[in-house]
Amino acid sequence: MLAWWFTENAVRSVRHRHPHVGTRAFNVLPGSDCSAPPIPHRYEERLRIGHFGILSETRSLAEFIDGLAVFLTKRPEARGDIRITVYGSTLDRRAQHRLRDTQFENLVNVVGRVERKSLGGESARTYVNRMMQECDVLLLLHGHLQRCAEYIPSKIYEYFWARRVVFALVHTNDELTTLVNRFGGVAVPSTDPEARGGQFYAPRFGNFGPPVRRPILRRIGLNHAIDRLWEVSEAETGIPLAIEPS
């Protein structure tokens, strides 16, 4: 029997708990297929930040809002240049409180869950991928639980297909940080408000850091995962695998 996990940290953990699994436990990045064709991107006056997916008490927009507050304390003139749109969820309670405290309510637009019946025949997945491509920056929230050390949000693979800069708030996961950086994004510790504010907005309003306008061309498709599963299966079983024509 073979068992695969989505991070190397998870593989190390299971091998520590169950040493007998050996190389039968392995890591494969799952990837994602593109659900919408690439569209030309038009940059506007405002920096358009998009978050896609569920928000909760343990994966809260509040950390991002705190970083935004740090930045706008230093650069208040930038407030009119920022717009944040949330797809797929309502705001979590912590984020609602922080928006009220900081008076940033007018910076955030909550679209919520997208229903296919309202899209005129277009699938929700295709629509969401199209909306990702209309953002300048895609926000990835990792959470703050212990399991984050062994967890990479699957949404990141869809983000890579959108070819936009990913800004990730990462909690104790060097593997996720490396992945974001490898694909041209910005990864900062979720526990550091100074980093969450300054390092994100510097690309747009300063002279250091990766530029927001850099095109992101690399991504991870499902073929990558299938090839890796095929390779490990053959190595562990000693049986060559072949697809018979139907």
Side-chain angles (χ1 to χ4, degrees):
M1 182 184 72
L2 300 175
W4 61 299
W5 278 261
F6 296 148
T7 68
E8 285 291 349
N9 287 338
V11 172
R12 283 192 289 269
S13 179
V14 75
R15 286 176 178 169
H16 176 75
R17 297 193 305 269
H18 306 286
H20 63 278
V21 301
T23 55
R24 288 177 296 162
F26 59 99
N27 163 237
V28 177
L29 296 176
S32 172
D33 276 346
C34 183
S35 59
I39 58 177
H41 188 59
R42 185 180 73 254
Y43 290 93
E44 300 178 351
E45 290 293 324
R46 292 170 174 161
L47 182 66
R48 294 169 294 178
I49 305 161
H51 178 271
F52 295 77
I54 299 298
L55 296 171
S56 67
E57 295 300 296
T58 58
R59 188 188 293 171
S60 173
L61 194 67
E63 281 79 14
F64 177 73
I65 296 166
D66 288 341
L68 177 61
V70 170
F71 171 74
L72 291 180
T73 298
K74 300 177 180 178
R75 300 288 301 275
E77 72 280 6
R79 178 170 178 148
D81 296 328
I82 298 166
R83 286 298 177 270
I84 305 158
T85 305
V86 175
Y87 293 88
S89 178
T90 58
L91 289 176
D92 59 277
R93 286 188 302 169
R94 290 175 55 214
Q96 293 175 26
H97 293 157
R98 292 302 296 136
L99 284 175
R100 284 197 296 267
D101 292 345
T102 55
Q103 299 182 344
F104 289 167
E105 293 100 328
N106 64 327
L107 302 186
V108 179
N109 175 38
V110 179
V111 174
R113 186 175 177 83
V114 177
E115 300 293 344
R116 179 167 185 165
K117 62 184 179 182
S118 65
L119 300 178
E122 183 179 34
S123 74
R125 186 164 182 255
T126 300
Y127 170 79
V128 165
N129 188 273
R130 209 161 42 79
M131 293 303 98
M132 288 180 183
Q133 294 187 61
E134 292 190 2
C135 295
D136 301 313
V137 175
L138 297 170
L139 175 63
L140 187 76
L141 302 174
H142 193 206
H144 55 75
L145 299 178
Q146 184 177 357
R147 69 183 179 92
C148 289
E150 301 177 4
Y151 165 69
I152 292 177
S154 60
K155 188 64 65 180
I156 195 171
Y157 303 107
E158 294 181 64
Y159 278 8
F160 291 154
W161 274 105
R163 301 173 178 86
R164 299 293 174 260
V165 171
V166 175
F167 177 63
L169 306 187
V170 180
H171 182 61
T172 61
N173 190 318
D174 292 340
E175 194 172 352
L176 176 55
T177 296
T178 299
L179 186 64
V180 172
N181 291 335
R182 172 185 161 198
F183 283 82
V186 180
V188 300
S190 62
T191 54
D192 185 350
E194 189 73 27
R196 297 197 302 260
Q199 288 193 37
F200 174 60
Y201 295 104
R204 178 75 177 211
F205 300 109
N207 296 318
F208 60 94
V212 165
R213 298 185 180 217
R214 177 167 60 186
I216 307 301
L217 302 178
R218 302 171 66 191
R219 52 261 186 206
I220 301 175
L222 292 179
N223 285 342
H224 167 87
I226 294 170
D227 290 345
R228 174 66 175 147
L229 290 171
W230 205 275
E231 173 190 342
V232 173
S233 296
E234 291 186 331
E236 289 297 321
T237 63
I239 301 174
L241 301 177
I243 299 177
E244 297 293 336
S246 57

